[in-house]
């Protein structure tokens, strides 16, 4: 699938897969700015997510080394958004933050169905039923 991408910054790097079989493409920081509690990294990229698809932004698995957490857990980029892709992290300790040129996160683009809810009086039965958090005993 071809997806249109626009560089908004001269140092922007087009996302790519690090290894064959990877699900996410690495995103690179071109600028960063910090507040007391957050660090926001600019990628210098705008992406035209295809209709009926969504771009999902995830932290890299090595984020634990940086003492940061992606502020919104998973970023959701709708197909109508044409602005710059940015990653906002919450600072959780005094470790060294990412630097400009570092891989700061990953993007995965997936199709999604259009859902229409149907209100009913009862739902079908399952083995789990209404068991919530920890319902499997683990």
């Amino acid at each position: 699938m071809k997806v249109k991408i626009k560089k908004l910054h001269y140092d922007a790097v087009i996302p790519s897969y690090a290894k064959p079989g990877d699900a996410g493409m690495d995103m690179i920081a071109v600028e960063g700015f910090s507040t007391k509690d957050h660090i926001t990294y600019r990628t210098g990229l705008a992406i035209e997510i295809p209709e009926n698809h969504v771009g999902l932004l995830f932290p890299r698995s090595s984020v634990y080394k940086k003492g940061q957490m992606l502020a919104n857990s998973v970023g959701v980029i709708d197909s109508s958004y044409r602005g710059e892709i940015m990653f906002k992290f919450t600072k959780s300790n005094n470790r060294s933050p990412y630097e400009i040129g570092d891989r700061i996160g990953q993007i995965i683009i997936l199709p999604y169905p259009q859902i229409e809810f149907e209100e009913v009086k009862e739902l079908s039965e399952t083995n789990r039923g209404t068991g919530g958090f920890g319902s499997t005993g683990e």
Side-chain angles (χ1 to χ4, degrees):
M1 169 187 287
K2 293 203 181 268
V3 174
K4 294 178 182 178
I5 191 164
K6 179 180 179 181
K7 285 188 175 185
L8 305 172
H9 189 282
Y10 59 90
D11 287 331
V13 177
I14 303 296
S16 63
Y17 297 104
K19 297 180 184 129
D22 284 355
M25 292 175 276
D26 289 327
M27 303 287 289
I28 309 293
V30 296
E31 288 183 15
F33 51 93
S34 185
T35 65
K36 179 182 171 219
D37 298 322
H38 296 94
I39 301 175
T40 302
Y41 297 99
R42 297 180 57 205
T43 66
L45 297 169
I47 301 173
E48 189 173 316
I49 305 293
E51 193 171 319
N52 297 317
H53 287 70
V54 63
L56 300 175
L57 301 177
F58 295 95
R60 297 186 66 241
S61 61
S62 62
V63 72
Y64 74 93
K65 297 177 186 177
K66 299 298 181 181
Q68 298 174 13
M69 297 180 301
L70 197 56
N72 56 348
S73 299
V74 175
V76 175
I77 310 299
D78 295 312
S79 62
S80 60
Y81 179 68
R82 294 294 184 271
E84 183 174 11
I85 305 298
M86 293 186 272
F87 286 76
K88 186 173 195 169
F89 289 88
T90 301
K91 299 175 188 175
S92 63
N93 64 30
N94 292 326
R95 293 184 187 164
S96 298
Y98 288 111
E99 295 183 18
I100 303 312
D102 283 351
R103 295 175 291 167
I104 55 170
Q106 299 178 57
I107 186 167
I108 298 174
I109 298 174
L110 296 171
Y112 63 86
Q114 287 293 303
I115 303 298
E116 182 179 332
F117 284 106
E118 175 186 359
E119 185 177 3
V120 297
K121 299 273 187 212
E122 297 292 327
L123 299 175
S124 62
E125 298 282 331
T126 67
N127 288 337
R128 181 175 180 176
T130 58
F133 298 114
S135 65
T136 61
E138 296 182 31

